[in-house]
Amino acid sequence: MGSSGVQIVCVSLGILGLVGAIVCCAIPRWKVTAFTGQSIVIAQSVEEGLWMNCVVQSTGQQQCKKYDSLLMLSADLQAARGMVIISCMLCSLCLLMLFAGADFTTCVENESAKAKISLVAGIGLILGGLLVIIPVSWSAHNTVRDFNDPLVVASRKRELGACIFVGWAAGGLLVLAGGLLCCFSKVKSGGSPGAAKYYSNGGASAPNKNYV
């Protein structure tokens, strides 16, 4: 099983990744206004997220409005809602499991059970990271595609928001934490080495193959 130091690092990476996933879910900065016009005087900018869109004035005033209907969202943001929420829930559960099965805690005494719990937590963190990386990558692809599409009017063009980059970082941290756990959590195979040694030395309980 992995050392306590590796598990502490994995817990830290997992917590940072979970915080990043929560930020992506809550902050409305998945897509922002792309200023492609000739005017250098910008009166306002638009920011779009999973739950609301906001208009930020040049004076710093910000007004946000929740989406009236789920159908108003594009397909990538609709999928991102569910995937990011599932990722946050899965990562929270895996971190709790990791605390229970880590070497630096005494919640579980059995060493083999600790290794299995850490392995399951590592697989869950990898899945949670992928559930963040996939929607932010999908949204980034659609944003870049629409930005380069000459048929899309300039007022409808968007750029990558900060949440896209935070999501990539969060997903990478979660995948890294899960990968380290999977590498250092080795489940011991069953069987008793002491018993095998006893039999190999001709113990009293060793099977006798000489029958009369």
Side-chain angles (χ1 to χ4, degrees):
M1 190 175 177
S3 63
S4 299
V6 174
Q7 291 175 343
I8 292 174
V9 171
C10 292
V11 169
S12 302
L13 294 176
I15 292 176
L16 290 176
L18 177 59
V19 171
I22 294 174
V23 169
C24 287
C25 183
I27 303 300
R29 286 189 62 85
W30 282 64
K31 300 177 182 180
V32 297
T33 301
F35 300 109
T36 57
Q38 299 298 325
S39 176
I40 62 174
V41 179
I42 306 302
Q44 63 184 19
S45 61
V46 178
E47 300 174 353
E48 299 178 7
L50 298 182
W51 310 99
M52 65 184 68
N53 58 2
C54 298
V55 177
V56 182
Q57 306 293 335
S58 58
T59 58
Q61 184 180 5
Q62 181 176 343
Q63 295 179 341
C64 296
K65 180 183 178 182
K66 295 182 180 180
Y67 296 117
D68 296 328
S69 172
L70 179 64
L71 300 179
M72 294 179 60
L73 288 172
S74 57
D76 56 327
L77 294 183
Q78 290 182 27
R81 273 189 177 186
M83 297 177 74
V84 174
I85 290 176
I86 293 174
S87 175
C88 293
M89 297 174 61
L90 179 61
C91 292
S92 299
L93 178 61
C94 290
L95 287 175
L96 292 176
M97 292 176 59
L98 180 56
F99 273 112
D103 288 339
F104 54 85
T105 61
T106 58
C107 298
V108 179
E109 297 293 342
N110 188 288
E111 292 296 327
S112 178
K114 280 190 172 186
K116 293 178 181 178
I117 292 174
S118 297
L119 182 60
V120 172
I123 295 174
L125 288 176
I126 293 176
L127 293 177
L130 294 177
L131 287 174
V132 177
I133 294 175
I134 291 174
V136 296
S137 300
W138 185 7
S139 179
H141 168 74
N142 289 347
T143 302
V144 174
R145 181 199 60 195
D146 294 340
F147 184 85
N148 295 323
D149 190 352
L151 299 179
V152 178
V153 297
S155 60
R156 301 295 301 173
K157 291 182 182 294
R158 297 291 184 263
E159 291 182 352
L160 303 180
C163 286
I164 299 295
F165 303 99
V166 173
W168 279 327
L173 290 175
L174 292 172
V175 171
L176 178 60
L180 288 175
L181 282 176
C182 292
C183 292
F184 286 91
S185 299
K186 297 181 180 178
V187 181
K188 296 180 180 179
S189 58
S192 175
K197 182 178 180 180
Y198 179 73
Y199 287 127
S200 64
N201 291 334
S205 300
N208 187 6
K209 298 183 180 180
N210 297 323
Y211 298 98
V212 179

